[in-house]
């Protein structure tokens, strides 16, 4: 029976999903995408040995986001081969790839490789064109090698510490809404934390500052145009200007 390829993704601004799609393409294309970014799509799911799962999440404070962790708990394997990928914003990935690989193993997956790849940071103007074509070519090469590893090959050596560092929480920035808002409701439906009220403006404390609403608002109404954020973003952009590379663990 042909192996089926599944993407399981939590990706508020789409970087992780781009990486997972490139990997899936290299392996013949995804048979299905389970996108757990938005609440309500986290129905329990079980895979078997004939499947290959590509599991990915961004790095938040050196960990995988707590919301991703919670949603991934519903995804089970049965000695199912799996590649894990975290996308980080050019600062550091810290314990996130190790945490995601551990979580996959605890859920019944056989982790064949891990990737920590650079994507545009949520804040400021850092590596704004990444992942670019060169990054995605590296992801494809990794996927090919990792998927071809024999079942009984030693587990990949993934850097990081246990217990993991404190992290995985969202930030404290709460996006604003300008008068350009046409109340289309997209941001309300697409918020990973269900944090935007029906008025399309009021944002609850559960907001994880992922900026999905800012990036996807068709009217350009969601924004973070306040001095406190703009000053932080300028300094952060300068601090993280030096390019970091993708890393792959097999
Ligand atoms: C709350 C928060 C914390 C973050 N923490 C880190 C971090 O510790 N290290 C890093 O390099 N990037 C960090 N980032 C940037 C994201 O990891 C990066 O932009 C990633 O590519 C986003 O993935 P996505 O597009 O799949 O959501 C953080 C972003 C947010 C919103
Ligand atoms: S996506 Fe933009 S225009 Fe649509 S409701 Fe949200 S803020 Fe308003
Ligand atoms: S309201 Fe907060 S959690 Fe929801 S999409 Fe916007 S930034 Fe992300």
């Amino acid at each position: 029976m042909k192996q089926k390829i599944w993407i399981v993704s939590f990706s508020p601004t789409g970087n992780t999903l781009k990486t997972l799609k490139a990997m899936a393409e290299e392996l013949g294309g995804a048979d299905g995408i389970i996108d757990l970014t938005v609440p309500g799509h986290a129905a329990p799911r079980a895979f078997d040995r004939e499947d290959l799962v590509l599991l990915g999440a961004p790095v938040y404070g050196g960990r995988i986001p707590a919301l991703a962790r919670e949603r991934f708990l519903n995804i089970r394997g049965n000695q199912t081969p799996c590649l894990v990928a975290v996308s980080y914003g050019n600062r550091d990935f810290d314990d996130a790839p190790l945490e995601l690989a551990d979580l996959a193993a605890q859920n019944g997956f056989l982790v064949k490789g891990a990737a920590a790849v650079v994507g545009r940071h949520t804040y400021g103007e850092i590596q704004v064109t990444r992942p670019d074509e060169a990054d995605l070519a590296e992801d494809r090469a990794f996927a090919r090698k990792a998927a071809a590893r024999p079942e009984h090959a030693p587990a990949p050596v993934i850097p990081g510490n246990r217990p993991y560092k404190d992290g995985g929480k969202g930030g404290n920035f709460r996006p604003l809404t300008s008068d350009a808002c046409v109340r289309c409701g997209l941001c309300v439906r697409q918020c990973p934390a269900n944090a935007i009220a029906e008025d399309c403006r009021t944002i609850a404390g559960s907001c994880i500052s992922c900026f999905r609403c800012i990036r996807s608002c068709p009217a350009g109404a969601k924004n973070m145009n306040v001095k406190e954020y703009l000053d932080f973003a300028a300094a952060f952009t300068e601090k993280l200007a030096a390019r970091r590379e993708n890393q792959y663990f097999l």
Side-chain angles (χ1 to χ4, degrees), residues 173 175 190-193 195-196 203 206-214:
F173 304 118
Q190 292 290 310
C191 171
I196 309 177
I203 297 194
S206 58
C207 168
I208 56 170
S209 306
C210 68
F211 286 13
R212 182 177 172 91
C213 53
I214 296 179

